[in-house]
Amino acid sequence: MAAVRSVVARAATVVIGAHRLLRACGVASVEKCFSRGISTDEAPKRPMTAYLRFLVENRPVFQQKHPEINSKELLKKMAGAWRELPASQKQVYEEASKTEWQRYEKEVAAYKAQLTPAQAAALKEERSRQQAKRRSLRIKRELTVLGKPKKSRSAFNIFVSEKFKASEGISATAKMKQLYDMWQKLSSSQKQPYMQLAEDDKIRYENEMKLWEAKMIQLGREDLVRSRQKNPKKKTAETAKKAEPVKASSHEQKVKQKLKKSEE
């Protein structure tokens, strides 16, 4: 009986550790990490890799040894320990992962076999959507590491960033609604300082992008450089002035649509 309680306690520790570890890694839940594209509750859960098994099982030990460091630093220490782990010890985790993976593949095959054509199509679509999302996140992280300049802000965005903290409302949506209404009531002369700041930020962005793209070309990353299409004809001062209110109105309309959707 004592042995059974010991096994149960250890299993509970592993599950709790997995949840905490995944939160530290920025993953919302175990299901999201392991199922990867299978959206229903009945779907088999993706097994842990050998590395993740090592992290989950050994996290309590590392926490006890290094109580003074945060989750990010703790993860770095554990990653270093995994790299230095002898092959014979790594094999234990790899074999366990291999066994679980074989079980998982059989369960997935059985699960897919009992799906209707419509369910199978929906499952495929969901997987494609999640794969595209992960691909987008990978690209975003890569661009951050490479130091890509932040995009220029619109006049409305600059206004929001300046007034957001001081605005009233118990939620971000309520604050945005209030600021949107405030922006709509501003006169052209009151909006002008924000329009000028937006124009300055656009120039900043273009200058920084030229330097960054030149650096990317030197690094052999031409794939990250914007396509060199024919430059559109330069607008005259009068044409640009006429187009400006239309552009601002279009951006504000998008904000309005988002607010309406959030209220629904």
Side-chain angles (χ1 to χ4, degrees):
M1 192 68 180
V4 174
R5 282 197 297 268
S6 177
V7 171
V8 172
R10 185 178 179 188
T13 301
V14 170
V15 172
I16 293 170
H19 278 285
R20 289 175 178 172
L21 177 64
L22 292 170
R23 282 200 299 270
C25 297
V27 182
S29 68
V30 176
E31 183 178 348
K32 285 184 180 178
C33 181
F34 295 161
S35 63
R36 288 191 180 181
I38 301 176
S39 58
T40 61
D41 295 334
E42 295 81 12
K45 302 301 181 287
R46 194 180 184 92
M48 288 187 286
T49 63
Y51 174 58
L52 187 54
R53 281 178 175 275
F54 170 79
L55 295 181
V56 170
E57 291 185 13
N58 292 277
R59 192 169 191 272
V61 178
F62 277 81
Q63 274 185 318
Q64 192 173 6
K65 286 184 178 179
H66 309 282
E68 73 287 352
I69 62 177
N70 57 35
S71 297
K72 187 176 180 180
E73 292 300 320
L74 185 68
L75 192 59
K76 285 182 180 179
K77 278 191 174 293
M78 294 173 71
W82 170 257
R83 285 193 295 269
E84 296 173 3
L85 199 68
S88 58
Q89 294 182 38
K90 279 187 179 180
Q91 189 176 0
V92 176
Y93 296 100
E94 289 166 353
E95 287 296 330
S97 179
K98 184 179 178 181
T99 301
E100 285 296 304
W101 188 263
Q102 291 171 347
R103 174 196 58 76
Y104 169 74
E105 288 182 333
K106 291 178 181 178
E107 290 180 356
V108 167
Y111 171 71
K112 288 183 177 180
Q114 53 88 33
L115 293 176
T116 65
Q119 288 173 329
L123 180 63
K124 185 177 180 180
E125 184 181 345
E126 175 67 11
R127 292 187 67 176
S128 297
R129 187 188 66 78
Q130 292 195 12
Q131 286 171 359
K133 185 178 179 180
R134 289 196 297 272
R135 187 162 53 247
S136 176
L137 288 173
R138 283 197 299 270
I139 293 171
K140 187 176 180 180
R141 284 195 294 266
E142 181 185 24
L143 293 176
T144 300
V145 171
L146 292 172
K148 185 177 181 180
K150 291 184 178 181
K151 288 185 177 181
S152 56
R153 298 181 297 168
S154 67
F156 177 66
N157 283 340
I158 294 172
F159 170 78
V160 169
S161 63
E162 181 183 298
K163 306 290 185 181
F164 190 81
K165 287 185 178 179
S167 60
E168 298 176 358
I170 58 174
S171 67
T173 302
K175 287 188 176 186
M176 284 299 297
K177 186 178 185 308
Q178 183 197 32
L179 290 172
Y180 176 77
D181 292 339
M182 288 173 61
W183 176 259
Q184 291 292 89
K185 293 174 183 177
L186 292 180
S187 64
S188 298
S189 59
Q190 289 173 317
K191 287 182 179 180
Q192 185 55 40
Y194 299 102
M195 302 292 285
Q196 184 59 54
L197 287 172
E199 189 63 31
D200 293 343
D201 198 39
K202 185 177 179 181
I203 294 171
R204 182 273 312 163
Y205 173 71
E206 287 300 325
N207 290 337
E208 289 183 359
M209 277 298 294
K210 286 178 183 177
L211 294 173
W212 185 78
E213 288 180 332
K215 183 180 178 181
M216 291 303 102
I217 292 172
Q218 290 177 352
L219 294 173
R221 295 301 307 271
E222 289 87 353
D223 58 303
L224 300 177
V225 177
R226 294 170 295 184
S227 57
R228 302 300 182 185
Q229 298 176 346
K230 291 182 178 180
N231 293 327
K233 293 181 179 180
K234 291 184 178 180
K235 296 179 181 179
T236 63
E238 186 177 350
T239 306
K241 190 175 181 181
K242 288 180 180 179
E244 211 170 53
V246 176
K247 186 177 179 181
S249 177
S250 175
H251 180 76
E252 292 159 25
Q253 186 64 29
K254 289 180 181 179
V255 175
K256 187 176 180 180
Q257 290 173 355
K258 287 181 181 179
L259 289 172
K260 185 177 180 181
K261 189 178 290 186
S262 66
E263 288 175 355
E264 293 174 351

